[in-house]
């Protein structure tokens, strides 16, 4: 029968609305202001730390809802933002610089909603407050590192092919490796052996006799740049996740830039500590055969350099790098058989082979873990950014007790805190190339709250005006459109809460306001089409049927073009533009569904398939 729908269609739509309602429901529950407290280098979070902190809050007359220790982090919940800010001052005074205290907002979603995976929408930096960094990746350092790795690889390849050479050295200024050989025959053999191992190398003869220059192809340089940027993004994201900052944003911008947004963090210095600075890790052998005293007097032996730990203890280390931190896949802290702190490390296959070959003949010697950090200096580059200055520090030196492979352990660590922090650093990963912060902004939580209030006010008044207009102009059909509009808002909220990575920003709230207006636009087209059909003398049932069918093409055309624009904005935009695009795209899809499918079901339920002489519109 015309304008009659089967029961299953009503059930499917009701089921979809119920699911969206359940996943939108967590947004109704207010969030608790909270503190996330983690150990930085030199500190350790324990039950004793938690108890001391709870006592400090009580002594300062700060009422905490809960102070819990979970997975090496202390989470303290409070009733108000004022208590949260006062508690941060107490925590920083109590714990000192060995701990990171980050402001946070913790959901109070009931357990039964959390059991089905329902959680509130993630809020962007402009709504929650926090810090924003724009970081530049030092691509020259990434290429230089690759050139130095080539030197080690070329030496091994030439020895394996029994090609005689005098020297293999890097020329970082020109971005190439110079190989000095003993004869023209050795030069040809070297070119053949190295070209067979890597077909993307460019060979040319050097200025001196029997010398070979090896440089990287443009395609390889491009791959190195891309790899350095993507790996740094992954590693920075891992570091932030290990620390426990809520809902961080780490994304690429351009060819060598990374955007990092840390909601809830208000102190840029703390945020830089969270990012772990711009650091790498290297494993080197301790040179016990040379005179450390002579090295301290400035007479360094060939092939070795002088390093110190944080306490000033000197170490003489070989220049050859056994392993870098980018091969580490896992690290956990614990205790050895003598109850001494240790860190267990897992490597990828390539790292396991490298370490196995490096430690084959070095059992009984000490291996040092070197923490290398790049900090902005006073000098400036041509583009105005600070020149990075290299700082190196020995974290620990442990004795190699057996030939190492894909898993080994570091012992000789002073205390469990050092083991825990070292494991965290290794697990989070070492940056492939140094990065520096070239722009930073801080957004206060009060400004974020004001943005939320203003955005909600705009959405509310937009809804009220549209609802009143539709009821006054279309009578009962206006009520149907209003029900669809409310359902549309529930669907948008539910989908935004369900989609991983979707973040609501202030421009995103503007997208919701725009969607509120666009959602009834389709109903206006449908209702006016029904009026035209009635004016042409068609029956009520025919007018409803033809009104929906013939208006659909126009609705689809207008919304699909807008959806394409939203997808383009999402694809090429960054930050606020993406936030606007994602809510606009979701709003378009849900508005088509509610305006075309939802209202048609309601109209057919009340007026479809019946003998009625007129429609209340």
């Amino acid at each position: 029968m015309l304008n009659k729908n089967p029961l299953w269609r009503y059930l499917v739509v009701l089921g979809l609305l119920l699911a969206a309602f359940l996943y939108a429901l967590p947004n109704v529950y207010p969030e608790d202001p909270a503190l996330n407290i983690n150990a930085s280098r030199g500190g350790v979070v324990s039950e004793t730390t938690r108890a001391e902190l709870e006592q400090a809050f009580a002594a300062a007359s700060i009422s905490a809802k809960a102070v819990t220790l979970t997975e090496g982090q202390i989470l303290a919940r409070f009733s108000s933002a004022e208590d949260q800010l006062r508690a941060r001052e107490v925590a920083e005074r109590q714990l000192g610089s060995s701990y990171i205290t980050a402001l946070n907002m913790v959901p109070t979603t009931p357990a039964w909603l959390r059991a089905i995976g329902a959680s509130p929408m993630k809020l962007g930096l402009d709504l929650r407050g926090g810090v924003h960094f724009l970081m530049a990746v030092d691509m020259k350092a990434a290429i230089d590192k690759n050139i130095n790795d080539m030197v080690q690889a070329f030496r091994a390849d030439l020895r394996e092919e029994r090609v005689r050479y005098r020297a293999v050295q890097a020329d970082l200024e020109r971005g190439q490796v110079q190989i000095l050989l003993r004869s023209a025959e050795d030069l040809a053999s070297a070119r053949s052996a190295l070209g067979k191992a890597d077909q993307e190398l460019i060979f040319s003869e050097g200025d001196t006799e029997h010398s070979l220059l090896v440089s990287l192809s443009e395609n390889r340089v491009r791959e190195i740049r891309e790899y350095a940027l993507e790996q740094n993004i992954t590693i920075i994201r891992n570091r932030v996740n290990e620390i426990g900052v809520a809902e961080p944003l780490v994304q690429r911008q351009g060819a060598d830039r990374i955007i990092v947004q840390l909601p809830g963090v208000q102190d840029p210095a703390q945020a830089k500590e969270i990012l772990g600075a711009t650091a790498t890790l290297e494993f080197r052998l301790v040179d016990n055969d040379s005179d450390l005293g002579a090295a301290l007097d400035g007479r360094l032996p060939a092939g070795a350099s002088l390093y110190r730990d944080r306490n000033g203890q000197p170490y003489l280390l070989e220049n050859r790098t056994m392993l870098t931190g980018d091969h580490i896949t896992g690290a956990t802290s614990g205790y050895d058989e003598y109850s001494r702190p240790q860190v267990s490390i897992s490597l990828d296959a390539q790292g396991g082979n490298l370490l196995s070959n490096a430690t084959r003949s070095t059992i009984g010697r000490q291996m040092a873990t070197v923490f290398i950090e790049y900090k902005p200096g006073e000098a400036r580059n041509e583009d105005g950014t600070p020149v990075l200055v290299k700082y190196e520090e020995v974290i620990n030196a442990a004795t190699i007790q057996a030939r190492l492979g894909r898993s080994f352990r570091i012992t000789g660590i002073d205390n469990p805190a050092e083991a825990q922090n070292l494991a965290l650093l290794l697990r989070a990963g070492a940056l492939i190339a140094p990065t520096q912060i070239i722009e930073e902004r801080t957004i206060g939580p009060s400004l974020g709250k004001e943005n939320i209030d203003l955005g909600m006010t705009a959405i509310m008044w937009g809804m009220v005006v549209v609802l009143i207009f539709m009821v006054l102009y279309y009578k009962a059909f206006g009520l149907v459109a209003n029900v669809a509009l409310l359902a549309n808002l529930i669907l948008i909220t539910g989908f935004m809460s369900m989609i991983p990575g979707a973040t609501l920003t202030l421009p995103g709230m503007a997208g919701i306001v725009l969607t509120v207006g666009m959602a009834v636009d389709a109903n206006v087209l449908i209702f006016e089409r029904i009026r035209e059909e009635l004016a042409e003398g068609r029956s009520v049932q025919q007018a409803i049927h033809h009104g929906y069918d013939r208006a659909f093409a126009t609705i689809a055309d207008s919304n699909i073009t807008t959806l394409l624009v939203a997808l383009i904005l999402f694809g090429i935009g960054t930050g606020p533009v993406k936030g606007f695009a994602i809510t606009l795209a979701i709003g378009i899809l849900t508005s088509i569904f509610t305006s075309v499918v939802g209202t048609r079901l309601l109209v057919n339920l009340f007026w479809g398939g019946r003998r009625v002489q007129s429609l209340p519109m």
Side-chain angles (χ1 to χ4, degrees), residues 70-217:
T70 307
E71 297 180 355
Q73 301 178 24
I74 293 177
L75 178 64
R77 296 171 176 254
F78 305 93
S79 302
S80 65
E82 290 75 13
D83 286 345
Q84 179 194 37
L85 295 176
R86 289 175 56 213
R88 181 179 67 170
E89 296 176 0
V90 171
E92 290 174 347
R93 203 164 48 239
Q94 175 76 19
L95 301 177
S97 60
S98 297
Y99 296 83
I100 301 167
T101 304
L103 298 176
N104 202 353
M105 297 295 289
V106 179
T108 57
T109 309
W112 66 273
L113 281 174
R114 293 198 304 269
I116 62 173
S119 60
M121 279 188 291
K122 297 178 179 64
L123 299 181
L125 208 64
D126 49 1
L127 299 180
R128 170 151 291 179
V131 294
H132 165 100
F133 291 128
L134 179 61
M135 308 178 75
V137 180
D138 188 347
M139 292 301 180
K140 185 179 185 306
I143 295 172
D144 289 350
K145 178 178 180 297
N146 201 272
I147 295 293
N148 287 324
D149 290 343
M150 287 169 55
V151 171
Q152 302 294 336
F154 287 172
R155 288 172 179 167
D157 290 343
L158 293 176
R159 284 195 297 267
E160 186 175 344
E161 296 292 332
R162 301 184 183 279
V163 177
R164 298 178 302 166
Y165 64 88
R166 289 181 290 161
V168 180
Q169 54 197 20
D171 185 350
L172 299 180
E173 290 296 325
R174 298 181 180 180
Q176 58 189 16
V177 177
Q178 183 182 40
I179 305 175
L180 303 178
L181 299 132
R182 297 184 179 277
S183 66
E185 181 182 351
D186 290 332
L187 190 149
S189 300
R191 184 194 292 262
S192 174
L194 298 180
K196 189 193 312 178
D198 190 341
Q199 299 180 356
E200 291 201 16
L201 298 176
I202 298 176
F203 298 94
S204 59
E205 293 189 8
D207 298 332
T208 59
E209 187 178 12
H210 307 320
S211 66
L212 184 65
L213 299 178
V214 186
S215 56
L216 298 167
S217 65

Side-chain angles (χ1 to χ4, degrees), residues 494-573:
F495 283 134
M496 285 289 292
S497 301
M498 281 190 283
I499 297 175
T503 303
L504 181 65
T505 61
L506 190 59
M509 297 185 81
I512 294 177
V513 176
L514 178 61
T515 303
V516 168
M518 294 175 59
V520 296
D521 183 54
N523 286 131
V524 170
L525 289 173
I526 293 169
F527 296 164
E528 290 300 323
R529 186 67 188 183
I530 292 175
R531 282 179 168 177
E532 290 177 5
E533 296 293 332
L534 290 172
E536 291 178 3
R538 297 187 185 276
S539 68
V540 168
Q541 299 305 325
Q542 289 176 329
I544 293 173
H545 180 75
H546 291 301
Y548 274 96
D549 284 354
R550 293 176 180 176
F552 180 75
T554 304
I555 295 169
D557 286 343
S558 62
N559 282 280
I560 286 174
T561 53
T562 309
L563 181 61
L564 289 175
V565 172
L567 294 176
I568 292 171
L569 288 175
F570 182 81
I572 66 176

